[in-house]
């Protein structure tokens, strides 16, 4: 079946575009895009020749999709990487309002939760808890994320899926749909001299590629981390808003638990109700408010240190942690789960990296967030040494009386901003999962014309709101919510630790000792915290586990069913021999017009096309198979979006169009713009094809020895993506300019009657109109399948498919221009 689409010798993919600045998925200027086949790497007398051959395997067939991910990643840098110092400071200021809201509001509830488990009986309790908090912040957010994890980004993008896509480009571990064997040939490393690190990386790469259970385990790990992030999106708004509102208890007479719950619910409903307007209109207020909040934390902390007990700085001595556990034993272990709350939101530093830069996030944390948080906790500890009875509402009691109301207002705004950041992160996370085939298709609304990252997903928004209201109504206390809060946060951190360790071994090729130190140090600390928070399962810790299990089940079932559906489409695609037997008329009548058949295949003719041939009395004179393909990179540059290939011989007038997207790309299709750009792109493809034919015919008239010498230069480039003529070696460029004068090529182009005939046929088909041929494929388990598979495919996956957003809903196409055909695949 791999021979499909090889009906003629000119069936190479070509990248085309239109030069339009309109942000549509089919635009981009034309790029020289001929994709020569991979050239076999010859056995040379290199001491590491065998190593090179292991790195680069000759694929079964030439396909420009083989190298697309590496090519795109190399050509698309992050736009915020090379800012000046002043520009970096400005971006760092903006990170305060987006990245650090959750961690910045943790002083509202950390000590109140810790000392609800350990009553204060001596200064050892206070100093031990303070020392735990200080070193927890220093080890996890500062040492782990700021200095290590932030560097493991995918071209400036961070988060669980970014790490997964990065790994997928270096090893063939992707189990997601729309992945062909040819696509997986992009798995390679930058060539280096033989080293133990490289040999070890090759061993890990081969193990991941050959063992299916490792691929499944890696995917489940990524989905589990994503599920826990979504769980955080439920718990963070409930915890932050309720903690801020709890300041009114004891300050306003008659403000009891019922009033706290009702006021928190009102704020939560208002918070989720304004999501549809987007954060762009109020986003400019976020950074100043959070900057004022951190300034307040630091100032109040210094005030309490100077007024009550500056000697609490002794907690910088970690020996007090040992004394704390020695004195309190099991109670200290329970209190350790409360200390986790001081690093909630640490994962946001990595997850929100795509909007900022590594330097800006590092600068904001080390210069503002870290010192202000330390001062805040030290100030609260100093206050507790004199007023141990105030531990239940330590934050507001430690605020000077005259500043209570201003601080309360700022705290409430900060809590809402922290919630907003987590809600937005949940939207982005779901969108990435959808792009990589791990979440049912949902309606996505883009709330900003300037910033593509600002999106709104109505279904997820209202689901989060309902869950937040239920959490607040059931638990009715920040202490009980805190028991549930820590598990999801620590779970996400452990997933990141595993994935970054894999990046170190597989991609960075770090020294083995240093690579193992990372999971041993940080993984051990996180495991200790996980064991501590797991003791709270019966006290509310089951909530994030239920949420994570639910979303993990949904994502894995959707991925599993989608993979089976795609494999069925590949297995049942139409053979090229059958197409030749039908002839250029396709066994029916060809009428003027263009038929756009949407399908998921990147190779071959989908079987649903046969259904259209059998059902329709006639078929269009020009057929274009359109495939929307997501590649494991953040963003695909517009000029590299479009790939074209001719299907079958020229007189069939059939083409394949592949539109490539990254998991961060925005799709906002408009049928009229799409149609115009598609036709322009197809015309340029035909001209490019004719130009290549003219070049090939001209080459045949010259000395073959000179040609072979020039072509040998390809074999020296072992990185394989030899797809742009501009990137060839200097001797070859000279050869092209000497042997192939542009005047001779241009004259042959002007006299090409075949090109003029095909362009005229295309214009005639365009004038007759475009029709969208949409395929609706259903999946059913075979009768002899096991019961679990029948249950998952026939009921759960079928339910998700029936209730998710249909592919046609993404197109603003008049219904009169749509034809649909259905087909059932037995898996």
């Amino acid at each position: 079946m791999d021979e499909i689409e090889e009906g003629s010798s000119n069936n190479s993919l070509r990248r085309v575009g239109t030069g339009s600045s309109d942000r549509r998925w089919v635009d981009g200027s034309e790029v020289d895009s001929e994709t020569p086949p991979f050239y076999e790497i010859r056995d040379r007398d290199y001491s590491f020749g065998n190593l090179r051959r292991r790195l680069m395997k000759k694929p079964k067939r030439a396909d420009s999709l083989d190298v697309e991910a590496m090519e795109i990643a190399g050509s698309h840098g992050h736009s915020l990487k090379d800012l000046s110092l002043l520009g970096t400071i400005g971006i760092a200021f903006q990170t305060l309002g987006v990245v650090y809201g959750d961690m910045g509001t943790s002083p509202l509830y950390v000590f109140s939760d810790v000392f609800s488990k350990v009553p204060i009986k001596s200064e050892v309790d206070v100093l031990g808890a303070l020392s735990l908090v200080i070193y927890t912040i220093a080890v996890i957010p500062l040492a782990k994320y700021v200095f290590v994890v932030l560097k493991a980004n995918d071209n400036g993008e961070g988060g669980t899926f970014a790490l997964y896509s990065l790994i997928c480009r270096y090893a063939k571990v992707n189990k997601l749909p729309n992945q062909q064997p040819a696509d997986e040939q992009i798995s390679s490393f930058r060539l280096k001299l033989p080293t133990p690190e490289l040999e070890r990386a090759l061993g890990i790469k081969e193990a991941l590629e050959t063992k299916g259970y490792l691929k499944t385990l890696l995917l489940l790990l990524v989905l589990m981390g994503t599920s826990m992030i979504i769980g955080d999106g439920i718990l963070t708004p409930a915890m932050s808003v309720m903690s801020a509102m709890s300041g009114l208890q004891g300050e306003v007479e008659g403000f009891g638990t019922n009033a706290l719950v009702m006021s928190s619910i009102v704020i939560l409903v208002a918070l989720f109700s304004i999501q549809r307007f987007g954060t762009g209109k109020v986003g400019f207020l976020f950074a100043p408010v959070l900057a004022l909040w951190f300034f307040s934390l630091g100032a109040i902390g210094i005030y309490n240190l100077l007024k009550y007990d500056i000697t609490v700085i002794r907690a910088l001595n970690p020996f007090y942690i040992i004394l704390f556990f020695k004195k309190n034993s099991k109670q200290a272990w329970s209190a350790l789960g409360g200390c986790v709350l001081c690093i909630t939101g640490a994962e946001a530093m990595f997850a929100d990296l795509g909007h900022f830069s590594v330097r800006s996030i590092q600068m904001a944390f080390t210069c503002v967030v870290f010192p202000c948080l330390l001062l805040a906790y030290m100030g609260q500890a100093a206050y507790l040494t004199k007023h141990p009875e105030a531990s239940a509402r330590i934050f507001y009691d430690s605020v000077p009386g005259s500043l209570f109301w201003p601080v309360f207002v700022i705290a409430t705004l900060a809590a809402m901003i922290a919630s907003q950041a987590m809600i937005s992160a949940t939207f982005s996370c779901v969108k990435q999962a959808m792009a990589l085939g791990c979440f049912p298709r949902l309606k996505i609304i883009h709330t900003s014309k300037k910033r593509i990252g600002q999106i709104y997903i109505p279904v997820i928004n209202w689901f989060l709101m309902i869950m937040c209201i239920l959490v607040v109504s059931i638990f009715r206390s920040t202490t009980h919510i805190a028991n549930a809060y820590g598990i999801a946060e620590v779970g996400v951190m452990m997933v990141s630790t595993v994935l970054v360790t894999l990046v170190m071994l597989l991609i960075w090729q770090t020294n083995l000792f240093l690579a193992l130190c990372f999971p041993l140090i940080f993984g051990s600390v996180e495991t200790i915290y996980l064991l501590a928070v797991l003791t709270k399962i019966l006290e509310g810790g089951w909530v994030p586990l239920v949420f994570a299990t639910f979303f993990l089940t949904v994502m894995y079932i959707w991925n599993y069913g989608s993979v089976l559906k795609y494999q069925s489409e590949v297995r049942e695609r139409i053979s090229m021999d059958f197409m030749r037997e039908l002839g250029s008329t396709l066994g029916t009548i060809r009428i003027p017009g263009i038929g756009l058949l949407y399908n998921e295949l990147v190779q071959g003719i989908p079987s649903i096309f046969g259904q259209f041939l059998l059902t329709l009395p006639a078929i269009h004179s020009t057929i274009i198979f359109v495939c929307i393909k997501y590649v494991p990179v953040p963003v695909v540059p517009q000029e590299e979006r479009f790939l074209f290939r001719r299907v079958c011989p020229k007189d069939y007038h059939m083409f394949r169009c592949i539109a490539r997207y990254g998991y961060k790309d925005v799709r906002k299709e408009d049928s009229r713009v799409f149609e115009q750009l598609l036709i322009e792109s197809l015309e340029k493809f035909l001209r490019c094809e004719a130009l290549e034919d003219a070049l090939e015919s001209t080459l045949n008239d010259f000395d073959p020895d000179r040609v072979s010498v020039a072509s040998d230069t390809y074999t020296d480039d072992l990185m394989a993506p030899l797809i742009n003529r501009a990137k060839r070696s200097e001797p070859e460029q000279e050869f092209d300019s000497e042997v192939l004068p542009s005047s001779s090529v241009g004259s042959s182009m002007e006299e090409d009657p075949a090109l003029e005939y095909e362009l005229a046929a295309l214009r005639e088909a365009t004038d007759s109109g475009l029709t969208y041929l949409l395929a609706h494929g259903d999946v059913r388990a075979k009768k002899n399948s096991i019961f679990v598979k029948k249950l998952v495919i026939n009921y759960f996956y079928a339910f998700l498919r029936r209730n998710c957003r249909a592919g046609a809903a993404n197109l603003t196409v008049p219904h009169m221009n749509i034809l649909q055909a259905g087909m059932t695949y037995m898996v």
Side-chain angles (χ1 to χ4, degrees):
M1 300 298 291
D2 287 337
E3 285 74 22
I4 293 176
E5 296 187 22
E6 291 186 347
S8 67
S9 60
N10 295 326
N11 287 342
S12 61
L13 280 171
R14 293 171 180 82
R15 185 178 299 99
V16 298
T18 64
S20 173
S21 60
D22 193 352
R23 292 186 178 181
R24 302 294 177 183
W25 70 286
V26 294
D27 61 1
S29 57
E30 183 176 5
V31 179
D32 182 13
S33 58
E34 182 209 4
T35 307
F38 283 80
Y39 288 83
E40 183 176 2
I41 300 174
R42 300 178 179 178
D43 294 336
R44 303 202 177 189
D45 296 330
Y46 296 133
S47 61
F48 51 98
N50 182 57
L51 188 61
R52 291 194 174 194
R53 287 193 297 274
R54 291 173 63 193
L55 283 170
M56 290 301 305
K57 303 173 184 178
K58 181 181 178 182
K60 297 179 182 179
R61 65 190 298 272
D63 192 336
S64 58
L65 295 179
D66 293 344
V67 294
E68 64 184 355
M70 291 182 62
E71 173 206 355
I72 295 166
S75 64
H76 184 69
H78 198 265
S79 59
L80 296 175
K81 297 303 176 188
D82 300 322
L83 291 176
S84 63
L85 178 60
L86 189 61
T88 302
I89 294 175
I91 298 297
F93 177 75
Q94 295 178 29
T95 64
L96 297 178
V98 177
V99 178
Y100 297 111
D102 195 5
M103 193 183 302
T105 55
S106 59
L108 288 169
Y109 45 76
V110 170
F111 276 153
S112 61
D113 185 74
V114 169
F115 292 116
S116 68
K117 310 294 190 299
V118 178
I120 301 176
K121 297 180 179 179
S122 66
E123 69 172 6
V124 171
D125 298 322
V126 176
L127 294 177
L130 176 60
S131 187
L132 268 175
V133 169
I134 290 174
Y135 283 99
T136 298
I137 298 175
V139 171
I140 302 299
L142 183 64
K144 177 187 173 182
Y145 280 93
V146 170
F147 291 111
V148 181
V149 175
L150 286 179
K151 297 180 181 178
N153 61 82
D154 182 15
N155 294 308
E157 297 292 339
T160 306
F161 268 111
L163 285 174
Y164 183 64
S165 71
L166 186 63
I167 293 170
C168 286
R169 292 211 300 277
Y170 282 82
K172 298 179 285 185
V173 297
N174 199 341
K175 291 177 65 67
L176 303 178
N178 224 0
Q179 300 295 323
Q180 293 292 97
D183 297 329
E184 296 173 350
Q185 299 299 330
I186 61 177
S187 171
S188 63
F189 299 92
R190 287 174 296 181
L191 296 178
K192 298 180 180 181
L193 293 175
T195 62
E197 289 76 20
L198 181 55
E199 288 286 356
R200 184 187 66 247
L202 284 169
I204 296 173
K205 173 177 179 284
E206 292 175 358
L208 289 172
E209 293 175 348
T210 56
K211 297 180 180 179
Y213 71 90
L214 289 180
K215 297 180 182 181
T216 303
L217 184 63
L218 181 62
L219 177 62
L220 285 173
L221 187 68
V222 173
L223 296 182
M224 182 174 64
T226 305
S227 302
M228 291 183 176
I229 292 176
I230 298 175
D232 265 353
I234 296 171
L235 296 175
T236 296
M239 184 68 179
S240 299
V241 171
M242 204 169 184
S243 297
M245 296 304 296
S246 65
L248 295 178
Q249 289 183 312
E251 190 71 23
V252 176
E253 187 177 352
F255 193 87
T257 301
N258 290 334
L260 173 63
V261 172
M262 292 305 300
S263 60
S264 298
I265 290 176
V266 169
I267 292 180
L268 287 172
V269 170
L271 177 65
F272 283 100
S273 297
I274 64 174
Q275 292 300 312
R276 62 191 182 94
F277 299 108
T279 59
K281 296 181 177 61
V282 295
F284 67 94
L285 293 176
F286 286 5
V289 170
L290 263 297
L292 185 59
W293 169 250
F294 281 112
F295 173 78
S296 301
L297 290 179
I300 295 173
I302 293 174
Y303 170 82
N304 288 327
L305 276 173
L306 297 177
K307 182 176 181 179
Y308 296 105
D309 188 3
I310 197 173
T311 62
V312 294
I313 61 175
R314 289 176 293 167
L316 293 174
N317 183 354
F319 183 69
Y320 282 99
I321 298 177
I322 300 175
L323 296 178
F324 180 74
F325 277 93
K326 185 176 180 180
K327 178 178 181 297
N328 296 289
S329 186
K330 293 183 179 180
Q331 290 179 321
W333 184 257
S334 180
L336 185 61
C339 289
V340 174
L341 300 179
C342 71
I343 54 173
T344 54
E347 183 68 21
M349 284 194 290
F350 187 49
D352 292 328
L353 181 60
H355 297 291
F356 306 103
S357 66
V358 173
R359 287 184 60 193
S360 64
I361 292 179
Q362 291 173 332
M363 181 181 296
F365 185 82
T366 55
C367 298
V368 178
V369 178
F370 186 56
C372 287
L373 288 178
L374 291 189
L375 290 173
Y377 288 118
M378 286 182 178
Q380 291 183 21
Y383 185 88
L384 287 173
T385 58
K386 305 299 182 183
H387 305 280
E389 72 285 353
S391 61
R393 56 189 310 272
I394 172 59
F395 177 79
Y396 286 108
D397 283 353
S398 65
V399 175
S402 59
L403 297 178
F404 173 81
W405 288 108
V407 171
F408 172 77
V409 172
I410 298 173
T412 304
L413 292 175
M416 294 183 67
I417 292 172
S419 303
Q420 173 66 60
M422 201 64 229
I423 294 169
S424 300
T426 303
F427 292 159
S428 298
C429 192
V430 171
K431 178 181 178 295
Q432 291 182 21
M434 290 169 57
L436 294 176
C438 295
F439 206 92
R441 293 184 297 269
L442 301 174
K443 181 180 181 180
I444 298 178
I445 298 175
H446 302 276
T447 59
S448 174
K449 296 181 179 180
K450 296 182 180 179
R451 303 190 65 176
I452 63 174
Q454 294 182 0
I455 60 175
Y456 168 64
I457 306 178
V459 174
I460 298 298
N461 181 70
W462 302 125
F463 176 82
L464 293 179
M465 186 190 75
I466 293 172
M467 291 299 103
C468 281
I469 293 175
L470 289 177
V471 167
V472 171
S473 303
I474 294 173
F475 288 99
R476 302 173 65 85
S477 167
T478 56
T479 301
H480 294 154
I481 298 177
N483 294 334
Y485 201 14
I487 294 180
E489 190 68 31
V490 178
V492 175
M493 291 179 181
M494 294 191 71
V495 170
S496 295
T497 299
V498 174
L499 294 179
V500 172
T501 302
L502 192 56
V503 168
M504 286 181 169
L505 295 172
L506 182 67
I507 301 172
W508 292 355
Q509 299 167 26
T510 309
N511 179 272
L512 183 61
F513 175 76
L514 296 177
L516 292 180
C517 283
F518 181 78
L520 286 176
I521 296 175
F522 299 111
S524 300
V525 173
E526 291 162 356
T527 301
I528 293 173
Y529 279 123
L530 181 63
L531 294 175
V533 297
L534 285 177
T535 60
K536 302 180 180 181
I537 288 182
L538 298 179
E539 303 173 16
W542 56 270
V543 173
L545 296 180
V546 170
F547 287 145
T549 302
F550 171 75
F551 281 105
L552 176 62
T553 303
V554 169
M555 288 192 287
Y556 189 76
I557 288 177
W558 181 261
N559 177 266
Y560 176 69
S562 299
V563 170
L564 290 181
K565 177 177 178 292
Y566 184 78
Q567 290 174 347
S568 299
E569 292 178 347
V570 172
R571 185 174 58 251
E572 298 181 18
R573 57 190 177 180
I574 300 174
S575 69
M576 183 57 64
D577 292 337
F578 179 73
M579 295 299 296
R580 292 195 185 98
E581 292 176 5
L582 291 178
S584 60
T585 62
L586 299 179
T588 183
I589 302 173
R590 303 292 292 269
I591 59 174
I594 297 178
L596 304 179
L597 196 156
Y598 277 77
N599 67 104
E600 296 180 356
L601 292 182
V602 295
Q603 295 176 359
I605 300 175
S607 56
I608 196 68
F609 183 60
Q611 291 292 103
F612 281 109
L613 291 178
L614 292 174
T615 305
L616 300 178
I619 200 68
H620 303 81
S621 59
T622 299
I623 298 294
I624 302 176
F625 300 103
V626 181
C627 171
I628 297 174
K629 176 184 174 65
Y630 286 93
V631 291
V633 293
V635 177
V636 177
Q638 293 181 8
E639 66 272 11
E640 299 177 9
R641 176 86 67 207
F642 232 14
L643 296 175
F644 262 93
R645 171 191 285 150
R646 185 184 292 277
V647 181
C648 300
K650 287 187 176 183
D651 56 343
Y652 282 61
H653 301 292
M654 297 171 62
F655 306 90
R656 175 172 303 286
C657 166
I658 299 179
R660 303 179 297 180
Y661 285 90
Y663 55 82
K664 283 286 205 177
D665 273 325
V666 174
R667 287 180 53 199
K668 297 178 69 175
E669 288 98 343
D670 179 273
S671 61
R672 290 172 298 180
V673 175
F674 165 70
E675 293 169 3
Q676 178 184 355
L677 296 176
L678 179 66
I679 300 306
E680 293 177 0
S681 300
L682 183 54
E683 287 183 0
K684 292 189 176 183
F685 164 77
L686 295 175
R687 296 182 186 278
C688 181
E689 181 186 52
L691 175 60
E692 180 184 332
D693 293 341
L695 292 173
E696 291 178 355
S697 62
T698 308
L699 275 173
N700 295 331
D701 297 334
F702 290 87
D703 184 2
D705 293 335
R706 294 187 63 185
V707 175
S708 61
V709 170
S711 61
D712 279 345
T713 59
Y714 284 108
T715 59
D716 290 332
D717 188 353
L718 299 181
M719 286 303 291
L722 312 169
I723 62 178
N724 288 328
R725 296 183 185 273
K727 296 180 180 179
R728 295 182 182 177
S729 60
E730 291 301 324
E732 186 188 19
Q733 290 179 355
E734 294 176 1
F735 169 79
D736 287 341
S737 61
E738 291 177 9
V739 178
L740 303 175
S742 59
S743 58
S744 62
V745 175
S747 60
S748 62
M749 281 285 295
E750 293 175 358
E751 300 172 358
D752 188 354
L755 174 62
E756 294 303 323
Y757 169 77
E758 197 155 18
L759 290 177
L762 178 60
R763 296 188 187 102
E764 180 185 2
T766 305
D767 294 337
S768 300
L770 283 78
T771 301
Y772 291 77
L773 308 177
L774 303 182
H776 177 73
D778 194 13
V779 181
R780 304 288 293 177
K782 296 178 181 178
K783 291 184 178 180
N784 59 350
S785 301
I786 61 175
F787 172 75
V788 175
K789 183 176 181 180
K790 291 181 178 179
L791 181 65
V792 170
I793 297 299
N794 295 348
Y795 295 95
F796 295 153
Y797 180 69
F799 174 80
L800 293 175
R801 280 189 62 85
R802 285 195 304 267
N803 292 277
C804 75
R805 187 173 175 83
N810 295 325
L811 302 169
T812 56
V813 181
H815 290 290
M816 61 180 298
N817 292 348
I818 294 178
L819 290 176
Q820 287 187 321
M823 189 169 183
T824 300
Y825 300 98
M826 303 303 295
V827 297

